[in-house]
Amino acid sequence: MLAASRRALYDLRMSFCDLIVCMEQTEINPRPVVGVIIVVSGLAVSFLLWLLYVHHASADFAGRWMFLPALNALLNGLGAIALCVGLYFIKHHNKEAHRTSMLLAFAFSSVFLMSYIVNHALHGDTIFPGHGPVRTLYLSILASHVILSIVALPMVLTTLFFSLTGRFAMHRRIARLTFPIWLYVSITGVVVFVFLKAYAYSTQH
């Protein structure tokens, strides 16, 4: 059973590696792909804004699945760590380890996005109850987090596309902008959770 599981994981890894090599060797015009990424990102952001500000969560899920905010913070934190590890590896010219780290960061961010959608679909938006300077600080961090997350989505997808298709000069150029934005969004995602944990979630129990 264990040997079969290891074999399945190995086959999956090899298939993924073959897919990456195939993409690198395929001549794909980047302009329509980047256009599709921008359109898809716009649709995704529109859906998230609808989910946050228009959708009303059902009261049936109040008090249930309350682990999701903590899971979201954990995924953001793991994504930030993977990003920093990836930066370390590329600074030391270890391209394979860098690629693995960045794909892992992308996986953490993707799972976070799915968990985030489920959490807001079930529970709606959480109102920060703090007042005074702490509320101003929280709203400032939240606003920068939301705005930059909107910017980060198409940039991350475009940076990943350039890497997987072997356009490393373009990848490096956009990655210099994508990396700090992606890292900031991941870290502030944890910070927002800490604020809500201290001031909002503690009052819900």
Side-chain angles (χ1 to χ4, degrees):
M1 184 68 177
L2 183 59
S5 300
R6 288 178 176 175
R7 180 63 184 177
L9 288 173
Y10 175 79
D11 291 341
L12 179 63
R13 180 176 179 274
M14 293 306 296
S15 297
F16 186 69
C17 290
D18 291 341
L19 175 62
I20 291 176
V21 171
C22 181
M23 291 185 69
E24 290 178 346
Q25 295 175 346
T26 302
E27 291 296 329
I28 303 175
N29 188 346
R31 289 188 177 181
V33 175
V34 172
V36 170
I37 287 174
I38 293 173
V39 171
V40 170
S41 299
L43 293 174
V45 169
S46 298
F47 170 73
L48 289 173
L49 292 175
W50 171 84
L51 188 64
L52 285 172
Y53 300 110
V54 179
H55 169 74
H56 296 288
S58 172
D60 295 338
F61 288 95
R64 299 168 59 185
W65 290 45
M66 299 306 295
F67 65 90
L68 287 174
L71 175 62
N72 293 342
L74 175 63
L75 291 168
N76 268 320
L78 291 174
I81 292 172
L83 286 171
C84 292
V85 171
L87 178 64
Y88 170 83
F89 281 132
I90 199 61
K91 290 292 187 182
H92 289 77
H93 308 289
N94 190 339
K95 295 181 180 179
E96 289 301 319
H98 167 74
R99 169 177 284 180
T100 300
S101 298
M102 301 311 286
L103 288 174
L104 191 59
F106 180 75
F108 284 135
S109 294
S110 299
V111 177
F112 158 77
L113 182 58
M114 290 185 287
S115 178
Y116 181 87
I117 290 173
V118 171
N119 179 54
H120 279 77
L122 298 180
H123 304 138
D125 195 23
T126 302
I127 304 301
F128 184 72
H131 300 283
V134 69
R135 180 177 179 82
T136 302
L137 177 61
Y138 169 79
L139 292 178
S140 299
I141 295 173
L142 179 63
S144 64
H145 172 78
V146 171
I147 293 171
L148 288 178
S149 65
I150 293 173
V151 175
L153 180 57
M155 293 185 69
V156 169
L157 293 176
T158 303
T159 305
L160 181 65
F161 165 72
F162 285 149
S163 173
L164 294 180
T165 55
R167 293 174 170 86
F168 297 114
M170 299 174 72
H171 168 76
R172 286 191 294 270
R173 193 178 305 163
I174 191 174
R176 291 189 178 95
L177 297 174
T178 303
F179 178 84
I181 294 175
W182 191 359
L183 182 62
Y184 179 84
V185 169
S186 297
I187 292 175
T188 51
V190 179
V191 173
V192 167
F193 169 77
V194 171
F195 270 96
L196 292 176
K197 179 68 175 177
Y199 289 90
Y201 296 140
S202 59
T203 64
Q204 296 176 0
H205 300 285

